Amino acid sequence: MELAYVCEWEKRPKSTHCPSIPLVCSWSCRNLVAFTTDLKSEDDDKSTQIHTRTHTHRRTHKHTLNLMFCFPDVSHMIHIIDTEHPWDVFSINSGHTEVISCLEWDQSGSRLLSADGDGQIKCWSMSDHLVNSWESVLSSSLDGDPIIALSWLHNGVKLALHVEMSGSTNFGEKFSRVKFSPSLTLFGGKPMEGWLAVTVSGLVTVSLLKPGGALLTASESLCRLRGRVALADIAFTGGGNIVVAATDGSSSSPVQFYKVVVSVVSEKCRIDTELLPSLFLRCTTDPLRREKYPAVTHLKFLTRENSEQVLLCASNQNGSIVECWSLRKEGLPVNNIFQHRSPVVGEKQPTILKWRILTTTSDLERVSAVALPKLPISISNTDLKVASDTKFCPGLGLALAFHDGSIHILHRLSLHTMGVFYGASSAQRPGDESAIKRQRTAGPAVHFKALQFSWTSLALAGVDNHGKLHMLRVSPSMGQVLEMNTTLRHLLFLLEYCMVTGYDWWDVLLHVQPSMVHNLVEKLHEEYMRQNQALQQVLATRIVAVKASLCKLSTATAARACDFHAKLLLIAISSTLKSLLRPHVLNTPDKSPGDRLTEICAKNTDTDIDKVMINLKTEEFVLDGPPLQSLQQLIQWVGDFVLYLLANLPNQGSMVRPGFGFMRDGASLGMLREMLVMIRIWGLLKPGCLPTFTATSDTQDSMLLLFRLLTKLWLCSRDDGAPQDPDDSLIDECCLLPSQLLVPSMDWLPVNDGVMVKLQGKHPLRLQFGKASSLPSNAPPTPLEVFNRTPGSQRMDNLRCVHMGVCPTEESKACTRCGCVTMLRSPNKTNAMKQWEQRWIKNCLCGGLWRRIPPTFT
């Protein structure tokens, strides 16, 4: 493990150092991190009040004194960042009146739940689909009853990642769908959305989102005798039930488990609860440790979909101990009286469910935070053996943060140590007495109060007691030395998992070195081509986006990243233009006009565009004028792109330039041919929609010339034959193109301004919230002049393909992944262009999320 970057506040607030005030952190599958700080400034010291509450346990009549710190002038903020631009923090004045105790993302990573110590639960969603603009859309409340556990209802989607099948060529064998029922279903089996929470007083409350947007809420006691619940956690079973684990915080008390069943009866939410087998901590039954660890400080199910394994941590002021328990089915012993009777055919021995301890740790430092893996790795004996042999560790380790500032990664089943990170305040190694003395005199150590794994378990996000956000790399092999091929295979396996699930792969890129990029891209393409045709169509754009992200990590492949982004735009424009085609007769054959166009253009190798048009049913291309005219900017981009590719064909030498990847891409060149044919036909109906070229001769037919040269290049790289190098005559004609047509300067996507390209070194970055300038500019200069932008150059709307001017005044948004910039508000009034813009309202072409950027940053 090693530190990747630290992001701190410009004016560091003073920490309260109060253990009763929790910090919470949550990491979404789209690589958004939400966290709280609840720190106060120096001016708030005078307003701090200390209140005492006396709790009396019902049965033991023991009195406990709790200190509560109240900050009347401190607003409880929720901070949300995307991990690629951590300085661009969006701080929400949550409106919570008490300290925020829970944060929970939904499965899509687009909505966030927050809960506080006053029983308030709020649901946040993106405003205008921007990661740095959030609003509260729904809320529920149990006034005065603090929330201690919170979860979205399960949607029934569960995958299992099989390490044993990592060498298989079939994605379906590597990542299998597990039969799992949603917590609640609507008509037709559609999962119903909602959330579930557990309160301190032992209540479970459920809020269901009805299809119309209304909220259906109900509450029920976990058991008949309600008692104080200090810690709780929520898990789900494959049968659609919910399991809640709860404890009153005392290690001498049992840890209770409850089955919760949610249903809707007569338009009302109904909750049924049932008591399940409970357990006592092992440390309380040990005579030497019975009184040593009086409090249970952490209670977690090992995974969200596994209610049969639980992690418990008991602590005192100076240390902790961790235990891992498993629920097993055991045979019930039969009394001797019944053993001598004749057995009945088919009779089985009665069984019961019983908690058994799997393993326990020795005495540890005091635990301050726990993070559990989210990667759904299969833990069958075969998968575990293959993972051990190949040293594949993601998903097998859980993280414990200690009060000395260190983090230990332990195996989730055996609890043996897999890796250790020594924090900033505990950089000393064991035995460094001088460092320990300095730490004691300097006051409380900096330690993590909240910790979260990424969705592939290759990164850890932690918030310390000073409000700093730390991002840590977690090695796939936990620091064990591997051969390069094995390392590539591990990273490839996780990239494929992200492709199949749609999760963001940012944390995988943390471990990709520039020298690995080329091999990863080639191997990823090989695995993709081995899948069936249907799956290839589903993953067609996603794999291009993954390749683009990989190529940005190396200056040697930066030009290929431009090609992949251009390919994404090309695919989008092609599907949009083809969708405008309508069959002339209603009783259409099995093929659409777009499919017939593809088939005819693939068979017809004629270099004359007019001869290709003869074989098409031109009535299918008849459209009204306004849609064609409004899409002229996209049509213009296609024409400019073809001209740029052909004019730069002679320049593709030893240095890879943008456009090189298209020279042997027969599918993309064929797509460009099809669009030129469509544009040619539309130009006969509406000449204003044609792309404009600056020609040196008035008689020059630019479309005819470009189609002829493009067809010759396409014939060299067709899929049905071996690729050939362009002949000398084609290269000579392309050399003459700049003297016949003015070659435009393509505005390639900017090199991303995020942190990923800066993390190639081993030194961690020191960043400040709210300051993009805090990102060091130590990257080597880009060797290609196409990436350089002069201060007076035109700014480009990369999505609408229009210029925004040298100093655009319009508010803009940028992609968090690829850096694509587009205007926030649409300047178009026509329906055709609005439909194009609506396709990208939630996500960029590459699938990344949008973030608002000020006009000066575009």
Side-chain angles (χ1 to χ4, degrees):
M1 270 191 301
E2 60 184 15
L3 188 64
Y5 63 74
V6 179
C7 209
E8 61 184 351
W9 303 97
E10 183 179 3
K11 295 181 179 179
R12 191 177 74 181
K14 181 181 177 181
S15 173
T16 60
H17 294 297
C18 176
S20 66
I21 297 183
L23 300 187
V24 285
C25 176
S26 186
W27 194 327
S28 81
C29 62
R30 307 299 301 275
N31 275 326
L32 300 179
V33 176
F35 62 100
T36 63
T37 53
D38 283 312
L39 302 176
K40 64 189 183 71
S41 63
E42 299 281 357
D43 297 334
D44 296 319
D45 286 338
K46 297 177 182 178
S47 62
T48 303
Q49 303 172 8
I50 301 179
H51 297 277
T52 62
R53 286 185 183 176
T54 304
H55 296 282
T56 305
H57 196 277
R58 288 183 180 178
R59 298 179 181 177
T60 60
H61 299 287
K62 291 181 180 179
H63 298 277
T64 59
L65 187 67
N66 287 350
L67 296 182
M68 291 191 60
F69 285 73
C70 267
F71 307 119
D73 298 329
V74 179
S75 58
H76 300 290
M77 308 291 287
I78 300 174
H79 311 289
I80 300 177
I81 63 157
D82 75 276
T83 52
E84 180 69 353
H85 306 87
W87 61 85
D88 189 13
V89 62
F90 184 73
S91 299
I92 306 171
N93 190 344
S94 66
H96 284 291
T97 55
E98 293 289 341
V99 173
I100 297 170
S101 56
C102 302
L103 290 175
E104 192 74 23
W105 290 99
D106 70 346
Q107 284 292 98
S108 67
S110 59
R111 289 179 299 181
L112 177 71
L113 288 178
S114 63
D116 66 9
D118 193 38
Q120 301 285 331
I121 302 175
K122 295 190 176 187
C123 177
W124 303 87
S125 66
M126 296 183 196
S127 175
D128 295 327
H129 306 286
L130 301 171
V131 298
N132 50 2
S133 181
W134 294 79
E135 58 185 357
S136 176
V137 290
L138 293 167
S139 63
S140 62
S141 175
L142 286 173
D143 291 339
D145 204 353
I147 307 294
I148 57 171
L150 182 66
S151 176
W152 290 89
L153 296 181
H154 204 283
N155 60 3
V157 177
K158 182 185 177 184
L159 284 180
L161 185 143
H162 300 282
V163 183
E164 177 192 6
M165 306 302 295
S166 60
S168 172
T169 58
N170 187 353
F171 285 172
E173 295 177 353
K174 296 180 182 180
F175 320 110
S176 65
R177 180 77 178 264
V178 179
K179 187 177 180 181
F180 210 87
S181 298
S183 303
L184 191 63
T185 56
L186 295 165
F187 179 78
K190 180 182 179 182
M192 192 170 189
E193 295 183 317
W195 59 81
L196 176 139
V198 181
T199 70
V200 164
S201 69
L203 276 180
V204 56
T205 177
V206 175
S207 298
L208 303 177
L209 298 174
K210 297 178 70 175
L215 203 60
L216 202 61
T217 303
S219 300
E220 185 62 56
S221 176
L222 281 172
C223 58
R224 292 182 180 179
L225 296 176
R226 285 173 61 187
R228 179 176 179 270
V229 179
L231 295 172
D233 198 22
I234 302 167
F236 302 90
T237 68
N241 297 326
I242 304 165
V243 177
V244 174
T247 175
D248 63 3
S250 172
S251 61
S252 59
S253 300
V255 179
Q256 303 279 6
F257 295 84
Y258 307 91
K259 182 173 77 171
V260 179
V261 181
V262 182
S263 57
V264 177
V265 180
S266 301
E267 294 297 319
K268 292 184 179 180
C269 181
R270 176 178 172 179
I271 304 173
D272 296 304
T273 62
E274 178 186 333
L275 187 62
L276 298 177
S278 59
L279 65 87
F280 282 91
L281 269 74
R282 170 63 65 85
C283 63
T284 60
T285 61
D286 185 352
L288 300 177
R289 293 176 173 172
R290 182 171 298 170
E291 304 294 337
K292 187 173 182 180
Y293 299 107
V296 180
T297 53
H298 298 88
L299 165 63
K300 298 280 186 182
F301 287 106
L302 279 183
T303 62
R304 184 170 174 259
E305 287 99 1
N306 186 359
S307 61
E308 298 178 354
Q309 289 183 334
V310 67
L311 189 80
L312 294 161
C313 177
S315 305
N316 57 26
Q317 291 295 324
N318 301 312
S320 299
I321 189 170
V322 176
E323 298 178 1
C324 185
W325 290 75
S326 177
L327 186 64
R328 296 177 181 176
K329 187 179 290 187
E330 297 184 356
L332 189 65
V334 181
N335 193 281
N336 293 332
I337 297 175
F338 303 101
Q339 288 182 355
H340 299 290
R341 69 182 179 88
S342 58
V344 180
V345 177
E347 185 182 22
K348 296 182 179 179
Q349 183 185 11
T351 59
I352 60 170
L353 293 174
K354 198 168 185 178
W355 285 99
R356 291 292 185 185
I357 190 165
L358 282 178
T359 184
T360 182
T361 64
S362 57
D363 295 340
L364 304 171
E365 287 285 336
R366 188 180 173 194
V367 175
S368 60
V370 177
L372 296 172
K374 300 176 183 177
L375 190 70
I377 186 171
S378 171
I379 55 173
S380 66
N381 292 333
T382 309
D383 285 309
L384 289 176
K385 184 179 185 307
V386 174
S388 175
D389 294 342
T390 59
K391 300 176 183 177
F392 182 85
C393 299
L396 293 177
L398 57 93
L400 299 180
F402 296 98
H403 274 261
D404 63 357
S406 64
I407 299 176
H408 289 219
I409 304 290
L410 307 183
H411 195 282
R412 57 188 278 188
L413 298 179
S414 64
L415 296 185
H416 72 262
T417 302
M418 302 171 69
V420 181
F421 168 74
Y422 296 94
S425 66
S426 57
Q428 76 277 0
R429 297 295 184 266
D432 190 352
E433 296 182 1
S434 60
I436 295 176
K437 290 179 181 178
R438 287 196 303 270
Q439 178 179 315
R440 288 174 179 171
T441 57
V446 175
H447 60 273
F448 295 97
K449 296 190 71 175
L451 207 60
Q452 276 274 311
F453 266 113
S454 67
W455 282 66
T456 61
S457 301
L458 291 186
L460 266 174
V463 183
D464 66 21
N465 52 340
H466 288 298
K468 294 181 184 178
L469 178 71
H470 301 248
M471 185 64 64
L472 291 88
R473 291 187 181 99
V474 182
S475 169
S477 63
M478 287 298 166
Q480 301 177 79
V481 179
L482 298 178
E483 295 181 357
M484 179 59 73
N485 286 338
T486 306
T487 302
L488 290 175
R489 192 161 63 246
H490 290 174
L491 295 176
L492 180 67
F493 190 39
L494 294 172
L495 285 173
E496 291 168 352
Y497 170 73
C498 292
M499 268 202 334
V500 171
T501 58
Y503 296 158
D504 200 288
W505 49 86
W506 181 88
D507 47 338
V508 183
L509 300 182
L510 281 173
H511 304 272
V512 177
Q513 298 299 320
S515 58
M516 303 178 183
V517 170
H518 178 75
N519 288 333
L520 270 178
V521 171
E522 295 301 319
K523 290 180 181 295
L524 190 65
H525 182 74
E526 291 174 8
E527 293 297 322
Y528 168 79
M529 294 304 296
R530 291 172 180 167
Q531 309 310 309
N532 59 60
Q533 195 66 31
L535 186 57
Q536 285 188 25
Q537 289 183 1
V538 172
L539 303 178
T541 55
R542 204 172 286 168
I543 187 175
V544 177
V546 175
K547 290 178 181 178
S549 299
L550 287 169
C551 288
K552 281 191 173 183
L553 302 178
S554 170
T555 54
T557 55
R560 295 189 65 187
C562 293
D563 290 348
F564 290 128
H565 286 300
K567 187 172 182 177
L568 287 172
L569 184 57
L570 177 63
I571 294 172
I573 294 177
S574 174
S575 62
T576 299
L577 297 184
K578 284 183 179 180
S579 67
L580 298 175
L581 304 180
R582 293 291 181 268
H584 183 61
V585 185
L586 290 180
N587 53 346
T588 58
D590 55 346
K591 291 183 179 179
S592 66
D595 293 335
R596 282 200 297 276
L597 172 66
T598 302
E599 183 180 1
I600 291 172
C601 289
K603 291 180 179 179
N604 195 326
T605 60
D606 204 306
T607 58
D608 190 339
I609 191 171
D610 295 325
K611 291 182 180 179
V612 177
M613 287 168 47
I614 296 174
N615 298 318
L616 294 171
K617 296 180 180 179
T618 53
E619 61 269 13
E620 294 178 341
F621 294 81
V622 176
L623 298 176
D624 295 331
L628 291 177
Q629 190 62 49
S630 63
L631 294 173
Q632 199 276 335
Q633 59 217 47
L634 302 182
I635 294 173
Q636 182 68 48
W637 183 88
V638 173
D640 289 346
F641 188 68
V642 172
L643 177 54
Y644 177 88
L645 284 182
L646 296 171
N648 280 274
L649 177 61
N651 299 328
Q652 298 292 353
S654 57
M655 181 179 291
V656 177
R657 295 173 175 272
F660 176 80
F662 286 90
M663 300 307 170
R664 295 183 180 274
D665 188 352
S668 297
L669 295 176
M671 204 180 298
L672 287 169
R673 285 184 79 238
E674 296 165 17
M675 284 192 282
L676 287 183
V677 172
M678 278 192 292
I679 294 169
R680 180 75 164 187
I681 298 175
W682 288 337
L684 300 176
L685 306 173
K686 183 74 175 178
C689 74
L690 287 172
T692 58
F693 300 100
T694 305
T696 56
S697 171
D698 295 337
T699 59
Q700 177 69 58
D701 190 337
S702 304
M703 291 285 289
L704 191 68
L705 174 63
L706 292 179
F707 185 84
R708 181 167 58 81
L709 297 179
L710 181 63
T711 301
K712 289 184 178 180
L713 180 60
W714 170 69
L715 290 173
C716 297
S717 56
R718 292 178 67 185
D719 295 334
D720 55 356
Q724 304 172 3
D725 291 329
D727 55 18
D728 293 339
S729 61
L730 174 59
I731 294 178
D732 291 341
E733 287 188 85
C734 291
C735 287
L736 296 175
L737 260 184
S739 63
Q740 296 170 308
L741 299 172
L742 180 64
V743 180
S745 59
M746 297 299 294
D747 193 277
W748 302 102
L749 283 184
V751 176
N752 204 353
D753 59 347
V755 298
M756 184 56 68
V757 293
K758 312 290 184 180
L759 293 175
Q760 299 302 319
K762 294 297 182 182
H763 300 291
L765 301 180
R766 301 285 174 178
L767 309 172
Q768 280 188 0
F769 288 119
K771 281 193 173 183
S773 58
S774 62
L775 187 66
S777 56
N778 54 359
T782 308
L784 297 174
E785 69 277 1
V786 294
F787 295 112
N788 299 329
R789 283 171 171 77
T790 59
S793 60
Q794 287 270 351
R795 308 297 180 181
M796 190 78 177
D797 186 319
N798 303 115
L799 203 58
R800 297 181 178 90
C801 302
V802 295
H803 291 283
M804 297 191 295
V806 177
C807 297
T809 57
E810 289 287 330
E811 272 195 311
S812 302
K813 58 184 180 181
C815 175
T816 57
R817 182 183 290 165
C818 69
C820 172
V821 176
T822 185
M823 285 180 282
L824 191 59
R825 308 297 173 197
S826 173
N828 299 293
K829 304 298 182 183
T830 58
N831 290 332
M833 201 60 197
K834 284 185 177 180
Q835 290 173 4
W836 165 261
E837 294 166 351
Q838 284 296 317
R839 290 185 62 182
W840 321 113
I841 192 72
K842 291 184 179 180
N843 301 100
C844 175
L845 290 161
C846 68
L849 297 172
W850 296 111
R851 66 186 184 101
R852 187 197 305 267
I853 55 175
T856 52
F857 282 7
T858 56

